[in-house]
Amino acid sequence: MRRRLVSSFTRLALLGLVGAGLSGCIGEELRHGYQVDQAALATVKPGMGPEQVLQILGTPSTVSTVGNKSWYYISQNTSRTVMFLGEQVQDQKVIAVYFTPGFKVERVALYGMQDGKVFDFIDRTTPTSGQDRAFISQLFRGLTRYEPFGSGSGASIVPGANRGQ
């Protein structure tokens, strides 16, 4: 009887330990970048200087390098269902502060996911046109377009081939 009680207690403790360990691997929500404060954003008005914008919104995530002077504050909310697996983007916001040539605030815009396309900045792949067709179709396409002595219209890729005609 006592041995059965100890065995049951050991199983229950082991099951609890495994359950607690697995519960740490289940889903989480992550926030990246500048988190939008609507009250602070409402205080940025046209005509303000860059120092005032820095005091209100802080340092921008990135700035434009060409064209008009613009500051961008980027935030992204993601989630994943299981720890260490890929993240799915739930929400993304970009606050754009556009400046005049005199470096005064011209306008402020707020862009969301519906305004753009989410893409991976570091994809580690190079797109090529060869991925559009199957390997066999590329081989046959190369065989049917092979023209070693020109296109038959009198033009030739061989130097001096058309001189004797």
Side-chain angles (χ1 to χ4, degrees), residues 31-111:
R31 295 175 184 253
H32 306 282
Y34 180 83
Q35 297 303 311
V36 179
D37 181 10
Q38 295 294 334
L41 184 60
T43 60
V44 177
K45 302 289 183 199
M48 286 183 154
E51 297 84 15
Q52 292 171 310
V53 175
L54 282 173
Q55 287 177 349
I56 295 170
L57 297 178
T59 306
S61 302
T62 187
V63 297
S64 64
T65 56
V66 294
N68 62 349
K69 299 171 179 90
S70 305
W71 291 357
Y72 301 100
Y73 297 86
I74 303 168
S75 69
Q76 192 175 58
N77 297 333
T78 61
S79 67
R80 57 180 156 206
T81 53
V82 179
M83 211 54 127
F84 309 115
L85 291 183
E87 299 176 13
Q88 293 83 30
V89 176
Q90 301 297 322
D91 187 30
Q92 179 172 310
K93 289 187 173 74
V94 176
I95 298 171
V97 180
Y98 299 103
F99 292 95
T100 63
F103 219 60
K104 297 290 182 187
V105 174
E106 180 180 338
R107 65 186 172 99
V108 178
L110 178 61
Y111 301 107

